[in-house]
Amino acid sequence: MTPRIKLFTVWCGPLPTWVDQFIHRVEYNPILDWELVLVTSPNTLNKLASDYTGVQCNKSTVYSQCDLRPLFGGMFHNRCKGYEWWGWCDLDIVLGDLNSLLPPLLDTTDVISVEEYGVSGPFTI
């Protein structure tokens, strides 16, 4: 059975010019169900994080909100229903053939990231 992966990108501001190429690569990988979460200000994500954790979150810039990525599974729990895996990615990465690469890794791993001993900002499942 092919696993289903919910992948989030949270974005604030105008989308980059290359977003169409990124979307094309996502569509090439039906193993992914990618969602672009548009936020209007850092306060939007701060409130979601605070509501989820019960701890006041005060990230002041959009970039500093990358620290919140490990919380996305809980913050967006209603959007993760029915998925075996969830993760996040940046828009400025090139996705290869994840349909072939990921299933064997997911059978033997709890976390997939570009870092060996931690999670990475650009891509983590």
Side-chain angles (χ1 to χ4, degrees):
M1 181 176 144
T2 302
R4 295 186 59 221
I5 302 166
K6 182 69 173 192
L7 201 60
F8 295 101
T9 300
V10 174
W11 194 266
C12 184
L15 291 171
T17 57
W18 64 83
V19 72
D20 290 339
Q21 288 89 355
F22 179 83
I23 292 169
H24 174 72
R25 295 306 300 170
V26 169
E27 291 170 347
Y28 179 78
N29 286 285
I31 193 172
L32 302 176
D33 186 1
W34 174 70
E35 183 175 345
L36 177 62
V37 179
L38 298 173
V39 296
T40 55
S41 75
N43 293 333
T44 305
L45 217 50
N46 284 335
K47 177 163 179 15
L48 286 169
S50 296
D51 290 349
Y52 173 63
T53 63
V55 175
Q56 185 64 35
C57 180
N58 294 311
K59 296 293 183 180
S60 60
T61 66
V62 173
Y63 186 76
S64 69
Q65 292 189 331
C66 292
D67 298 341
L68 301 176
R69 288 174 168 177
L71 300 176
F72 286 178
M75 290 168 53
F76 306 129
H77 68 276
N78 57 330
R79 299 173 182 181
C80 293
K81 290 180 181 170
Y83 294 93
E84 294 86 13
W85 297 85
W86 68 270
W88 65 81
C89 69
D90 286 345
L91 292 177
D92 60 351
I93 63 173
V94 177
L95 300 171
D97 182 8
L98 299 181
N99 300 307
S100 298
L101 176 70
L102 289 179
L105 293 174
L106 295 171
D107 285 341
T108 60
T109 306
D110 293 324
V111 177
I112 296 173
S113 185
V114 298
E115 296 290 330
E116 185 175 1
Y117 295 108
V119 296
S120 171
F123 182 85
T124 295
I125 295 175

